Amino acid sequence: MADAFTTRTIDIATGSKETVHDLTAACAAFLRDAANGRDGLLNVFVPHATAGIAIIETGSGSDHDLLSVLQDLLPDEEDRWRHRHGTPGHGRDHVLPAFVPPHATLPVIGGNLELGTWQSVLLVDTNVDNPRRQVRLSFLG
């Protein structure tokens, strides 16, 4: 039972602009070590109050569309937000996890992440004040 749960934290450089960072390859690499061909669940969690995890298509512009929609829904106008520290409009970053949650739990079959054909696991970070993020990957199986 000791190998039923395995967890690892990875560091991601997000830089100083809004970003969508693809975590799919890192999830697959983690599962190669942790799942060892077993079925189970992968939980992806970002322990930050201003970032989230999304499962969407990338590479066709959807990642940029997501950032555009978030900008429309949560504009970075300073006078709109009561939470006012950091760069102007930073209050929006603290609302982001209500729209893009800080976690996702995904099925693992035979040690492989079971995503749909065009799905990717993404870190969504609109907070330009934090250039580095941590993501915790946990396998239960």
Side-chain angles (χ1 to χ4, degrees):
M1 187 72 171
D3 61 351
F5 179 79
T6 305
T7 189
R8 177 182 304 155
T9 300
I10 59 174
D11 293 312
I12 306 295
T14 55
S16 60
K17 63 179 186 167
E18 295 182 359
T19 190
V20 173
H21 182 88
D22 194 337
L23 299 169
T24 310
C27 291
F30 169 70
L31 289 171
R32 278 192 294 278
D33 295 338
N36 197 24
R38 297 189 316 261
D39 296 349
L41 296 171
L42 173 67
N43 182 265
V44 183
F45 176 71
V46 56
H48 299 283
T50 58
I53 302 295
I55 310 297
I56 65 169
E57 177 182 6
T58 59
S60 64
S62 297
D63 40 348
H64 297 290
D65 290 342
L66 175 59
L67 290 176
S68 179
V69 165
L70 290 173
Q71 184 61 242
D72 291 346
L73 288 172
L74 306 169
D76 55 6
E77 302 160 358
E78 179 64 27
D79 61 345
R80 178 182 177 112
W81 305 102
R82 291 186 182 128
H83 185 107
R84 293 187 181 170
H85 70 84
T87 59
H90 175 65
R92 74 184 287 255
D93 302 325
H94 287 275
V95 177
L96 173 74
F99 294 90
V100 182
H103 60 87
T105 300
L106 305 161
V108 176
I109 306 297
N112 296 307
L113 191 57
E114 285 294 305
L115 292 171
T117 301
W118 303 111
Q119 290 179 319
S120 296
V121 182
L122 307 171
L123 169 66
V124 180
D125 187 3
T126 59
N127 184 353
V128 300
D129 293 336
N130 288 346
R132 300 206 57 80
R133 296 297 187 157
Q134 290 187 330
V135 176
R136 178 164 296 281
L137 304 176
S138 300
F139 175 73
L140 177 63

